[in-house]
Amino acid sequence: MFHTYTSLIQSTLREGSVGLRMNTTFLQLPESLTAGEAITALRGEIATTQDSSYIYLHDGNRKLSGVVSFRELVRAEKNAPLRSVASEVTHSALPEDDDEKCAHLIFDENLRGLPITAGGELVGVLSADEAGSILDNETDEDFQLIAPTRLLKTSLKETGVWALYRSRVLWLVVLVFGNIFSGAGIAYFEDLIAASVALVFFLPLLIDSGGNAGSQSATLMVRALATGQVRPRDWAHLIAREAMISALLGGTMALAVSILGILRGGPDIALAVALSMVVIVMIGSLIGMSLPFILQKIGLDPANASAPLVTSICDGVGVLVYFFIASQIML
């Protein structure tokens, strides 16, 4: 009745495989039994199994052939064959499949358990409770990557100074060198800045706005990918929608900042700042929306599209966009 996982050795599976997270004892009966025989066979057995949400059926060759809930079993006529009250198994997974994807499948399809098969034979069940634990752990990892830090093995309160330093220093050093491009952009437009020093007043405002917009988009997208709300194939639709949203956001912010531009430097500077705001916010939002998709496509965790990374990219792009637009208007 109970099948223990013996056909596959769990130690050979890679970390993150669902075979390492599944319950290896479960209720399984031959499909040839009647409902009455099944109830008799199950007495006293439920307490010894880890997963008792469903009764799984097998044919004469131990192949998974169907599934019956306890409610269906109790309501069935005693003489009814189990195969006549069983439901088809519509979703299953292999032991080597990714545990996070299997967990999302359980919640997307509202399953109480996901059968894990090898060669058609049931070897384990991923329960809904275990799926919830997998997704909780993944969320914790995503938040640490968004920081961005290396994954901490203990809680923040218990982690030492040196461990916290090592978890953060690499990203920050990399981003320092990334910000050199912003300085190079400023140096390139040195003559323009000298001709109109008022442009510098708006530089932090503009590049911060682009970084903030990009960080918002990236955070929303990382969360959506992590919870399975969107898939890589949704990118084209989402990027088109984000372009419209960011244009509206940028336009609203441009109206506000143009008033300050007129007061601070006159109509030309106001126009340059307003146009730059629209373009920078749009670019920042599209970068933030696209980075998680790109990282997932190349096999990296989308959470690496963290706020500091997006902000650094948007800073460099923002500087170039702002001074290019200003040069076209003022020179």
Side-chain angles (χ1 to χ4, degrees):
M1 180 184 306
F2 298 103
H3 179 81
T4 305
Y5 185 80
T6 56
S7 58
L8 292 173
I9 302 175
Q10 289 179 311
S11 61
T12 64
L13 297 173
R14 62 173 178 80
E15 184 179 355
S17 299
V18 70
L20 299 177
R21 304 296 296 267
M22 66 186 181
N23 295 330
T24 57
T25 58
F26 40 84
L27 296 172
Q28 190 174 33
L29 294 171
E31 64 179 7
S32 57
L33 294 182
T34 64
E37 291 171 337
I39 292 174
T40 300
L42 289 172
R43 289 196 179 106
E45 300 289 351
I46 296 177
T48 64
T49 185
Q50 295 176 350
D51 192 297
S52 57
S53 300
Y54 297 109
I55 302 126
Y56 296 94
L57 307 184
H58 64 79
D59 60 16
N61 296 318
R62 305 293 299 180
K63 303 297 184 182
L64 180 64
S65 60
V67 60
V68 180
S69 70
F70 277 99
R71 182 177 181 180
E72 293 169 330
L73 180 61
V74 172
R75 294 176 62 182
E77 296 290 338
K78 289 185 177 181
N79 294 327
L82 280 182
R83 67 172 68 91
S84 69
V85 296
S87 300
E88 182 183 357
V89 178
T90 56
H91 299 285
S92 63
L94 300 175
E96 61 268 23
D97 287 347
D98 182 74
D99 58 2
E100 185 185 348
K101 290 183 179 179
C102 293
H104 283 304
L105 177 61
I106 285 178
F107 286 100
D108 289 345
E109 301 297 332
N110 195 28
L111 304 175
R112 295 178 64 185
L114 180 68
I116 312 300
T117 63
E121 185 176 353
L122 184 65
V123 293
V125 176
L126 181 67
S127 68
D129 288 342
E130 188 66 20
S133 177
I134 290 171
L135 295 182
D136 285 343
N137 292 338
E138 183 64 21
T139 300
D140 290 341
E141 292 177 3
D142 287 346
F143 274 117
Q144 291 193 43
L145 287 169
I146 289 172
T149 64
R150 296 177 185 174
L151 296 180
L152 302 176
K153 301 302 183 182
T154 59
S155 69
L156 180 62
K157 181 179 179 180
E158 298 172 348
T159 305
V161 172
W162 180 245
L164 286 171
Y165 165 80
R166 288 188 294 110
S167 72
R168 299 170 63 182
V169 65
L170 177 61
W171 263 107
L172 293 177
V173 171
V174 169
L175 295 178
V176 163
F177 286 100
N179 288 329
I180 290 176
F181 292 103
S182 299
I186 293 173
Y188 181 82
F189 290 101
E190 185 176 351
D191 293 340
L192 175 64
I193 295 172
S196 183
V197 179
L199 290 171
V200 178
F201 176 82
F202 296 96
L203 181 59
L205 182 152
L206 290 169
I207 62 175
D208 284 351
S209 296
N212 291 338
S215 297
Q216 279 187 339
S217 297
T219 301
L220 291 172
M221 189 49 53
V222 167
R223 178 59 181 167
L225 287 170
T227 57
Q229 297 174 12
V230 298
R231 297 288 186 266
R233 63 176 179 271
D234 300 321
W235 179 82
H237 167 72
L238 293 173
I239 205 71
R241 189 181 65 175
E242 185 66 16
M244 291 187 290
I245 295 171
S246 60
L248 291 172
L249 292 172
T252 303
M253 298 168 72
L255 288 175
V257 79
S258 62
I259 299 173
L260 186 58
I262 292 174
L263 296 175
R264 185 76 183 183
D268 287 348
I269 287 184
L271 179 59
V273 171
L275 289 176
S276 297
M277 178 65 79
V278 174
V279 176
I280 288 172
V281 169
M282 288 186 67
I283 291 176
S285 297
L286 297 179
I287 289 174
M289 181 67 66
S290 300
L291 267 180
F293 280 105
I294 294 171
L295 290 171
Q296 187 177 71
K297 190 70 174 178
I298 62 178
L300 299 177
D301 195 311
N304 281 303
S306 54
L309 176 58
V310 172
T311 300
S312 295
I313 295 173
C314 291
D315 284 354
V317 174
V319 168
L320 296 177
V321 167
Y322 175 41
F323 285 125
F324 173 77
I325 292 176
S327 68
Q328 299 305 302
I329 293 174
M330 303 183 66
L331 294 181

